[in-house]
Amino acid sequence: MSAHCANACSATGVEKIETGTTVSEQTELHVCNSPTHEFVYSDRDFIRSGVLWLDKHRVGLNSDCGAGCQPLSRFDLTLRLGWLEKEQLGFFRYHLGDLQTKILPGPHGFVAQLNIQRGKERRKPQEIQSIRQSFNPNQFNFNKIEPGEILFEIRKENKHEPSTEPQFSRVSNGQSVSGTDAAQIDPNGPAYLDGGVTHTKTLVVINVSPLEFGHCLIIPEPSLCLPQVLTRDVVRIGIESVLLSSHPGFRVGFNSLGAFASVNHLHLHGYYLDHMLRIESARTEPLCPGQAFHLLSDTPAGFLFYTEGECLGALIHNICKVTDCLVEKNIAHNLFVTRGRPPGTSLHSGPSRPGIRVIIWPRLSCFGAKEETAFNVALCELAGHLPFKNRQDFDTITEAEVTEIVQKYLLPEKEFSMLQSQLMHLLHE
């Protein structure tokens, strides 16, 4: 049994978890397999303060760190208990256990993990030929998963009330369309971008080939068959999922097509990593401070948005303007959402993680089927978390070698600089 299990193994059954339930009331939380239950939340559930790294990073259900542990949130309990139950019921392709983990020597502090089973057992990735590739119902998609892989449906309270937040347009065949006309765009088009229309259902399901504890997929309205292009609603749920967690190591990420996305069906990854990452406090430079837009000047260079949970509508609008632009320019990209320090603070400036850093890395496209034995540079690797599929690389690789491999997938400096100027102009409009 995984060390993450501890006192969580007696979980068996609720259908709905309403907003406002305290963590202390969740000690008897149970997770049902059928029917799919709802996790209903509101802004009141966001953890806006008190998130910090402790001397012993594992917190809550499986921890031995004593009274110093911060309590798990209602979201964490729901996800972790459900994930453990699925593990006990045999829904995963392999038993994850406690992965062998080490920090590579050097200033970047890369977190290396050995996960041989994922390399052997995971589903063969789809062959991707274009960032705007249309959804193909004949290939694997998340409408074909086993019902038992579903953890819960996540829904925001009052989600469907009319929004006063900024809207942005979808793009179809190079033509911008906004307002009610945007709702008529075919979601299977090559560059489907949300025009403020919310998805009616978002599922959280296990990744049957997990890379870490709690590895799940966040899938908006699977029946819409949306291709792997970010929408406003999925960006929102990604950021809000991290805000719902009291664990500083809960991360959410996205791989675009051409950036090592495995399945062309819109989804995010979420998982726990009980180790700090350099990007949580890495050096930044302001680009458009009024838009919370910064340059992540550390290697690998990228663009960073920061929030402490306020004005999310405007932030999401700006994030999607950037990713919208990348899709239009046919630039592959990865996105990573993590707890972090405010821009401008010094590296490793303390254990507190008061806000959310959303990092976007534009990068060179990689098309064709993935090489299962290769060192793929996707959202985890860019963030400094390196899941290795073979022991030889795990045992021998150095920080310099990792940096050299990652650098090959990034935009050339001149192209990155030109894109930076274009995005600054776009956000000032």
Side-chain angles (χ1 to χ4, degrees):
M1 182 180 299
S2 167
H4 294 278
C5 190
N7 300 322
C9 297
S10 59
T12 60
V14 292
E15 297 235 348
K16 191 170 183 178
I17 306 167
E18 292 290 353
T19 305
T21 309
T22 65
V23 170
S24 62
E25 293 172 325
Q26 292 299 314
T27 53
E28 298 301 322
L29 174 68
H30 299 301
V31 180
C32 68
N33 291 315
S34 181
T36 301
H37 75 277
E38 286 186 315
F39 180 91
V40 183
Y41 72 95
S42 74
D43 290 359
R44 298 189 302 273
D45 291 292
F46 294 159
I47 312 298
R48 300 182 188 271
S49 61
V51 178
L52 72 162
W53 286 105
L54 303 167
D55 289 339
K56 293 186 178 180
H57 302 320
R58 285 186 177 142
V59 298
L61 294 172
N62 61 298
S63 179
D64 61 355
C65 61
C69 282
Q70 60 214 83
L72 289 170
S73 70
R74 190 168 62 89
F75 173 81
D76 291 316
L77 286 167
T78 304
L79 175 55
R80 294 165 78 98
L81 283 166
W83 201 90
L84 287 167
E85 184 178 53
K86 300 300 183 184
E87 184 180 51
Q88 291 178 340
L89 293 172
F91 282 104
F92 294 98
R93 294 190 172 196
Y94 51 86
H95 177 71
L96 185 69
D98 287 328
L99 298 173
Q100 186 176 347
T101 304
K102 65 179 182 180
I103 309 300
L104 296 187
H108 288 283
F110 291 125
V111 180
Q113 291 188 315
L114 183 62
N115 190 344
I116 294 173
Q117 289 297 106
R118 178 171 166 82
K120 291 180 177 178
E121 303 291 341
R122 66 176 302 194
R123 183 182 294 108
K124 183 180 179 180
Q126 294 171 8
E127 188 162 330
I128 303 300
Q129 301 296 342
S130 168
I131 292 170
R132 300 183 180 192
Q133 190 163 311
S134 298
F135 177 87
N136 183 348
N138 296 320
Q139 291 187 313
F140 171 79
N141 62 77
F142 300 118
N143 294 309
K144 299 180 180 183
I145 64 172
E146 295 292 333
E149 296 173 23
I150 299 172
L151 289 164
F152 52 87
E153 181 179 332
I154 188 167
R155 178 171 64 84
K156 190 170 186 179
E157 193 174 54
N158 301 325
K159 183 175 181 180
H160 300 297
E161 290 184 354
S163 174
T164 58
E165 294 177 340
Q167 305 287 304
F168 70 95
S169 63
R170 301 180 186 182
V171 180
S172 178
N173 299 322
Q175 299 297 316
S176 294
V177 185
S178 58
T180 55
D181 289 338
Q184 307 304 317
I185 299 298
D186 179 5
N188 293 326
Y192 174 73
L193 296 169
D194 196 341
V197 179
T198 55
H199 309 130
T200 58
K201 178 169 68 174
T202 299
L203 295 182
V204 179
V205 310
I206 61 170
N207 188 318
V208 295
S209 301
L211 61 85
E212 243 293 7
F213 178 75
H215 190 182
C216 61
L217 303 174
I218 301 169
I219 308 166
E221 193 63 51
S223 63
L224 287 180
C225 302
L226 302 177
Q228 184 70 348
V229 176
L230 284 170
T231 67
R232 173 180 173 175
D233 212 39
V234 79
V235 172
R236 177 183 292 279
I237 194 66
I239 294 172
E240 292 185 344
S241 295
V242 177
L243 281 168
L244 288 168
S245 175
S246 62
H247 192 309
F250 182 69
R251 334 281 184 162
V252 168
F254 170 84
N255 298 320
S256 82
L257 302 180
F260 288 114
S262 296
V263 177
N264 186 17
H265 191 182
L266 184 56
H267 65 286
L268 302 175
H269 292 266
Y271 69 100
Y272 293 91
L273 178 67
D274 291 339
H275 295 272
M276 291 188 213
L277 296 173
R278 182 184 174 95
I279 59 167
E280 297 170 24
S281 57
R283 185 167 56 92
T284 63
E285 299 174 16
L287 296 177
C288 304
Q291 309 295 335
F293 185 56
H294 305 262
L295 172 67
L296 183 68
S297 45
D298 239 342
T299 302
F303 301 111
L304 181 145
F305 288 91
Y306 180 80
T307 180
E308 295 188 359
E310 306 296 334
C311 303
L312 284 183
L315 180 86
I316 292 161
H317 174 69
N318 287 330
I319 291 170
C320 289
K321 285 180 80 170
V322 170
T323 58
D324 216 353
C325 177
L326 296 178
V327 173
E328 282 297 286
K329 291 179 177 295
N330 212 34
I331 298 174
H333 50 283
N334 305 91
L335 177 143
F336 197 78
V337 186
T338 184
R339 292 281 179 170
R341 300 286 299 166
T345 55
S346 59
L347 183 65
H348 307 311
S349 52
S352 176
R353 297 293 180 262
I356 304 292
R357 286 186 167 204
V358 181
I359 301 129
I360 301 168
W361 288 284
R363 39 91 56 76
L364 298 176
S365 299
C366 300
F367 295 124
K370 286 186 188 177
E371 292 290 335
E372 286 296 331
T373 58
F375 182 86
N376 297 324
V377 177
L379 67 94
C380 295
E381 291 81 2
L382 288 168
H385 172 210
L386 309 172
F388 285 91
K389 304 182 184 75
N390 66 80
R391 178 166 290 280
Q392 181 177 353
D393 285 340
F394 177 80
D395 287 340
T396 62
I397 202 161
T398 66
E399 180 180 274
E401 290 171 328
V402 170
T403 302
E404 182 180 358
I405 292 169
V406 170
Q407 197 67 36
K408 291 190 299 186
Y409 292 88
L410 302 179
L411 292 182
E413 185 175 348
K414 184 177 180 180
E415 189 175 343
F416 183 91
S417 179
M418 186 180 303
L419 177 63
Q420 176 181 312
S421 297
Q422 293 167 343
L423 292 176
M424 291 173 66
H425 177 76
L426 179 68
L427 292 175
H428 276 306
E429 290 180 348

